[in-house]
Amino acid sequence: MPRGVFITLEGLDGSGKTTQIKRLAAWLTRRGMEPVVLRQPGGTASGDRIREILLDSRSAAVAPMTEMALMFADRAQAIAEVIQPALDAGKIVVCDRFTDSTEAYQGGGRQIGSEVVLDLHRLICGGLEPNLTLLLLPSFQVSLARARHRNVRVEAETGKDENRFESEKDAFYRRVWEKYHEIARREPDRVVLIEGDLSIDEVHEQIIESVAERLVTAQPIR
Ligand code: TMP
């Protein structure tokens, strides 16, 4: 039984997760907690290599099942190498995406369905569930425009091509969006839905409120 607290952030590309994770980590650090922060895919040496295969638009021919398997391969490594040891040591782990992303993107977006994803989750993640999931869903149009703009900038600055998902059609993202809503409805105790085009400060406030509440009710943190 893990003694730490596991928090995940979820949302469409361009939902502002990265900014919010930085602010949440700074907030926790100011309170004397040293959060372990990671992202998926990525977060370990082999995970970073898997990320390159998954996000590079030259990998466009990756089949949906391959994509899902690689997401879980990355996750299994992150759990073994980073997440579980940190939770066992009583730490707070903040993860940018987890299995809800696979359910939304591969289950919903790629139309594999939730059941397969949840079965694999049970098998591969050994029942590890976040204590709290913050689901950021600003309006559909705003998220997508931001994600596409950001990737053009990142590619220009670093030469890295992480466009494969963002070049998907709007219909794909609609399905991802709907699946995220379905997850939030199904698991209201775990998932806090932060909707609408709120300011960065407003989203941060809502996140802090939920996290503070959860830190009080969750297992003790050393
Ligand atoms: P991000 O690091 O900018 O959030 O990008 C990761 C991309 O990978 C994003 O488009 C969502 C996608 N993704 C999946 O499709 N399934 C998953 O399980 C995960 C973790 C990410």
Side-chain angles (χ1 to χ4, degrees):
M1 188 71 188
R3 288 173 296 142
V5 179
F6 185 27
I7 300 170
T8 58
L9 270 88
E10 291 283 352
L12 282 194
D13 307 80
S15 57
K17 281 182 294 96
T18 310
T19 306
Q20 293 299 336
I21 284 175
K22 280 194 197 133
R23 291 195 60 173
L24 171 60
W27 184 88
L28 290 165
T29 306
R30 281 200 301 278
R31 274 150 192 82
M33 295 169 248
E34 276 173 42
V36 171
V37 181
L38 75 162
R39 69 173 175 182
Q40 291 192 349
T44 62
S46 32
D48 285 338
R49 292 169 69 186
I50 295 174
R51 182 182 174 92
E52 278 177 26
I53 300 174
L54 280 164
L55 302 194
D56 190 329
S57 46
R58 286 172 301 238
S59 317
V62 169
M65 284 294 177
T66 313
E67 188 177 271
M68 180 174 62
L70 286 172
M71 293 294 179
F72 274 110
D74 165 70
R75 189 160 301 130
Q77 190 61 30
I79 291 172
E81 213 178 298
V82 183
I83 301 175
Q84 197 62 58
L87 292 175
D88 289 344
K91 295 197 172 150
I92 300 181
V93 176
V94 179
C95 195
D96 185 345
R97 300 190 180 281
F98 195 62
T99 298
D100 293 326
S101 282
T102 317
E103 191 179 346
Y105 282 77
Q106 282 67 51
R110 302 272 187 242
Q111 299 178 289
I112 293 173
S114 291
E115 215 178 302
V116 181
V117 176
L118 295 177
D119 282 350
L120 277 176
H121 173 74
R122 275 186 286 273
L123 196 72
I124 290 170
C125 306
L128 177 65
E129 300 293 346
N131 297 92
L132 171 66
T133 296
L134 301 148
L135 173 54
L136 311 189
L137 286 181
S139 74
F140 183 71
Q141 297 307 339
V142 165
S143 296
L144 267 199
R146 266 200 241 153
R148 286 179 177 145
H149 177 75
R150 183 201 61 181
N151 275 349
V152 170
R153 183 173 49 77
V154 168
E155 194 177 352
E157 284 170 10
T158 66
K160 274 197 175 169
D161 175 359
E162 293 203 338
N163 270 310
R164 198 169 69 84
F165 282 95
E166 284 82 357
S167 52
E168 285 295 337
K169 300 263 177 313
D170 286 8
F172 170 86
Y173 278 104
R174 276 269 167 229
R175 293 194 293 272
V176 175
W177 170 270
E178 274 157 23
K179 190 57 89 178
Y180 266 136
H181 277 285
E182 192 185 308
I183 297 169
R185 283 194 300 273
R186 186 182 71 211
E187 295 184 55
D189 291 341
R190 172 175 68 87
V191 181
V192 172
L193 177 58
I194 301 175
E195 279 186 292
D197 295 326
L198 304 171
S199 70
I200 291 176
D201 286 342
E202 285 169 323
V203 175
H204 178 65
E205 283 309 314
Q206 290 200 27
I207 288 178
I208 294 314
E209 207 176 294
S210 305
V211 169
E213 207 174 280
R214 227 35 85 108
L215 292 183
V216 173
T217 54
Q219 304 95 321
I221 304 155
R222 259 201 331 205

